[in-house]
Amino acid sequence: MNISVLVGLYNNLGYSQQFYQYFRKIYPNVELVFVSYGSTDGTHEWLEEIKLKDSKLIIYSEPTKKTFSDTYNKAAELATSEYIVFCHNDIV
């Protein structure tokens, strides 16, 4: 599958963790791109932790809050597949 799934994050760590768990159960080999600007609930630390175990995961985080558009533009920039799909962490 030549698809990257892009997910913009801002806090809501529980949703992000649940989304990730379900997504990986169904799509273990699809590239997943998480971008988080300004999260303060442990999201950035969690991303660093799961990145160590998931070679199909691309992450990017910064402490400064940015717009929804900035978030998904960065995710699209990081994606390496031919096609992209936009998702959100509360889609479980």
Side-chain angles (χ1 to χ4, degrees):
M1 208 181 277
N2 197 12
I3 296 173
S4 295
V5 176
L6 315 181
V7 184
L9 307 176
Y10 177 68
N11 290 327
N12 293 317
L13 179 57
Y15 280 133
S16 300
Q17 291 170 326
Q18 189 176 17
F19 173 89
Y20 176 76
Q21 179 185 10
Y22 287 132
F23 184 87
R24 276 294 172 240
K25 188 180 288 187
I26 298 167
Y27 303 106
N29 296 311
V30 172
E31 182 174 86
L32 183 59
V33 182
F34 279 140
V35 174
S36 175
Y37 286 114
S39 291
T40 58
D41 65 347
T43 293
H44 297 176
E45 294 79 8
W46 172 72
L47 290 174
E48 293 295 334
E49 180 182 314
I50 62 170
K51 176 59 181 147
L52 297 174
K53 303 171 190 170
D54 189 340
S55 64
K56 297 288 186 178
L57 178 65
I58 297 173
I59 63 166
Y60 184 85
S61 62
E62 282 187 22
T64 305
K65 187 175 177 186
K66 294 193 178 182
T67 68
F68 184 82
S69 297
D70 290 330
T71 302
Y72 280 96
N73 285 338
K74 184 64 174 180
E77 176 186 315
L78 295 170
T80 66
S81 300
E82 186 176 358
Y83 301 102
I84 59 173
V85 174
F86 295 92
C87 256
H88 200 267
N89 64 340
D90 62 359
I91 299 171
V92 179

